[in-house]
Amino acid sequence: ADSGDHYDLVCVGGGNAAGYLAKTLVDLDWAEGKKVAIVSGEPVAPYERPALSKAFLHPPGAKVRARLPGFHTSVGGGGDRQTPEWYDEHKIDLMLSTMAVSLDAGAGKLTVQGAGQSERAISFDKLVLATGAKALTPADIKTENPDLGNVFTIREEAEALEMVQTLEANQDNFKDIIIVGGGYIGMETAAAFSGWGFNVTMAFPEKHLMQRLFPESVAEVFENYFSAKGIKLMKESMVTGLVPSESDNSAVGGVKLKSGDVVNADAVIFGVGSRVDTSLAESAVKLGEGRTGGYAVDDSMRTSNDKIYAIGDVAALNGKSRYEHVDFCRKSAAQAATAIAEGRDMPKMDYLPYFYSRLFEYTETPLIFQFYGDSSTDGASIEVFGNVDAAMETSGNDKVPGFGAAWVDASTQTVRGLMYCNGTPEQYDTAKNAVLTSAKFSPTMLD
Ligand code: FAD
């Protein structure tokens, strides 16, 4: 490559973590004098991805319907809205619709390819890997007839936009929507589309909603509320296939369950998890241990190659823990950007996992929850507390009162993890501090 193609820093991936990396580099005044590029497979500048299953899906007529440029990073973290003009202004080269196709770490070279263009090489002093994850598709999970029309996943804005436009165009023809998956993306999507007037059904193999996190009694509150909103829950129902529509055999007409039953659907949305893809750099840097996946990084987000960093969903902190949360994107991006800009090793990153979800925000009675800490149940009991009984009684039009669950260490009775739903800012602060300080559990601790 000639000198015009040499960069002080190249970030591969233009998602949540990349946006916050750019923010910190600019905040530290590092980007100005340097050549920085972001190589992104997406056609749009980095944005706050969680919006895609929340306000992006709000029903037509809702007060808020998130659309770009409204939710570019770093609006979620209280920063500037980083539109393409922002990157221009800060002389960051935003290469959109461009994939990094191969890496020669030894030579400090990356081969990139823009849509419809031929491959070209760029070189770097420092490389940041921020390639995130991809949604698992029907084909990935071996669903029959995976390629039918009106079947969607939600990871990138283009996918969510296509889904919303299809549903808008068919608001009068479509009746039944099936959401495959009972995790948070399935719940958020179901909550949004129930407001569009469709018959929404969630089908998932687990015994209850959010089985990976929620204890049964917490799930019951959500299930009760979802049912009150008219959302049908098909629990312990494994979707094994898609069935073509009778009127148009290129489009979906239903889903087939393991039981052999077929359930009608005009559109199907898969929220069945995601997978990190480390193919770009797996021969250049060490991967996370065991089944962690991702690229092993130290507290400065540096990989086993000291020119290469990894942030966001692909980073396995200390080789062990990956977090697929925006909060980790922000903090890992800040950590890497500071280490790079100031040329130093960062102090130990005591990361407190933090995750939130927001449901029915287009109504007067949303369900919002936050989770802090460790949700493993090894050597822990889960204690449900707060107004859980009153929450169970709500009809779907009432405000659900605050309730929560604590993951309590069985030997010390201290709090390892805490989720709270419909709390006040003060209660969320207290919850966070209780986990940070390993407070003794008490059912009145957030009162
Ligand atoms: P991403 O944001 O996925 O960005 C990766 C980028 O890299 C993409 O632009 C991709 O196109 C690009 N890319 C990949 N490979 C290449 C390549 N070879 N060359 C060029 N570009 C490439 N987290 C929460 O904490 N709370 C929530 O409520 C929440 N809601 C979510 C809702 C949805 C619908 C989704 C999908 C995720 C949600 N998350 C949530 C998770 C959160 O969005 C992710 O943790 C976060 O986006 C990860 O950021 P990232 O930068 O690591 O990866």
Side-chain angles (χ1 to χ4, degrees):
D2 62 35
S3 60
D5 292 323
H6 182 81
Y7 290 88
D8 296 285
L9 172 70
V10 174
C11 176
V12 186
N16 247 120
Y20 282 89
L21 181 82
K23 172 190 178 351
T24 310
L25 291 173
V26 167
D27 286 349
L28 295 173
D29 282 334
W30 191 79
E32 302 299 319
K34 299 283 193 302
K35 269 193 91 178
V36 178
I38 293 177
V39 179
S40 176
E42 289 188 72
V44 292
Y47 54 88
E48 304 286 2
R49 197 167 304 284
L52 294 182
S53 51
K54 301 179 183 65
F56 196 88
L57 305 185
H58 282 176
K63 229 185 269 165
V64 179
R65 295 184 92 199
R67 290 292 178 273
L68 291 176
F71 62 102
H72 282 299
T73 58
S74 299
V75 292
D80 283 349
R81 186 174 351 126
Q82 298 166 202
T83 57
E85 295 73 41
W86 182 93
Y87 290 89
D88 278 351
E89 202 180 300
H90 293 285
K91 306 213 165 39
I92 294 174
D93 198 349
L94 200 52
M95 299 180 191
L96 299 178
S97 302
T98 302
M99 290 295 286
V101 290
S102 66
L103 168 67
D104 179 345
K109 271 197 184 142
L110 191 68
T111 306
V112 300
Q113 183 168 33
Q117 294 172 9
S118 44
E119 292 184 358
R120 66 189 180 102
I122 58 177
S123 59
F124 57 82
D125 286 339
K126 297 257 190 282
L127 181 73
V128 178
L129 300 164
T131 47
K134 279 251 169 295
L136 289 174
T137 64
D140 291 332
I141 60 163
K142 311 254 177 305
T143 310
E144 279 169 51
N145 298 319
D147 299 323
L148 292 173
N150 302 334
V151 175
F152 303 96
T153 52
I154 317 175
R155 178 81 201 183
E156 301 197 340
E157 189 261 354
E159 296 170 291
L161 189 63
E162 190 197 338
M163 175 173 73
V164 164
Q165 287 172 343
T166 303
L167 295 179
E168 277 173 356
N170 289 286
Q171 247 195 304
D172 300 329
N173 324 330
F174 283 6
K175 285 210 306 270
D176 301 307
I177 296 193
I178 296 196
I179 317 271
V180 184
Y184 77 89
I185 290 186
M187 285 169 62
E188 290 175 356
T189 309
F193 287 134
S194 71
W196 288 55
F198 297 119
N199 298 325
V200 176
T201 301
M202 294 179 74
F204 50 92
E206 294 85 16
K207 288 207 166 72
H208 60 73
L209 284 176
M210 281 291 274
Q211 184 151 300
R212 267 193 1 201
L213 179 67
F214 288 173
E216 198 175 346
S217 49
V218 167
E220 246 179 87
V221 175
F222 284 80
E223 290 175 1
N224 182 50
Y225 195 83
F226 272 52
S227 302
K229 290 284 193 194
I231 298 167
K232 201 168 149 204
L233 302 174
M234 295 182 64
K235 306 183 199 181
E236 298 181 83
S237 301
M238 180 73 120
V239 170
T240 57
L242 295 166
V243 180
S245 149
E246 277 170 21
S247 57
D248 170 4
N249 65 12
S250 68
V252 77
V255 303
K256 194 166 109 191
L257 303 177
K258 197 172 176 190
S259 63
D261 290 352
V262 170
V263 188
N264 286 345
D266 299 303
V268 180
I269 297 147
F270 279 74
V272 292
S274 61
R275 183 157 61 197
V276 290
D277 175 4
T278 48
S279 54
L280 184 67
E282 65 196 1
S283 56
V285 304
K286 271 201 196 118
L287 300 183
E289 289 166 22
R291 290 158 61 95
T292 313
Y295 303 112
V297 293
D298 63 14
D299 294 299
S300 303
M301 302 294 130
R302 197 184 291 115
T303 66
S304 56
N305 179 323
D306 65 8
K307 282 183 180 170
I308 305 181
Y309 295 70
I311 57 176
D313 286 6
V314 284
L317 185 57
N318 299 312
K320 292 195 182 81
S321 310
R322 283 198 315 105
Y323 306 97
E324 298 190 351
H325 301 159
V326 278
D327 182 60
F328 186 69
C329 289
R330 291 174 195 157
K331 291 182 175 148
S332 61
Q335 201 83 349
T338 310
I340 292 167
E342 297 181 355
R344 63 183 171 107
D345 285 341
M346 298 301 286
K348 186 169 161 41
M349 188 182 183
D350 280 322
Y351 182 65
L352 176 71
Y354 162 62
F355 172 76
Y356 65 90
S357 179
R358 297 204 284 258
L359 304 157
F360 303 104
E361 264 200 304
Y362 59 91
T363 71
E364 299 290 312
T365 55
L367 275 172
I368 294 173
F369 69 88
Q370 308 205 350
F371 176 86
Y372 296 95
D374 174 7
S375 64
S376 75
T377 47
D378 278 358
S381 64
I382 306 181
E383 307 294 336
V384 176
F385 65 100
N387 305 302
V388 66
D389 295 333
M392 263 309 284
E393 302 297 313
T394 51
S395 72
N397 296 318
D398 313 328
K399 197 164 166 27
V400 174
F403 69 98
W407 281 248
V408 181
D409 189 285
S411 55
T412 58
Q413 296 303 304
T414 55
V415 177
R416 300 199 316 208
L418 220 162
M419 79 137 306
Y420 204 73
C421 182
N422 284 4
T424 60
E426 295 74 31
Q427 283 176 312
Y428 293 130
D429 268 353
T430 310
K432 179 179 171 182
N433 280 324
V435 180
L436 272 175
T437 60
S438 302
K440 285 261 188 242
F441 173 71
S442 142
T444 55
M445 59 196 305
L446 300 192
D447 290 357

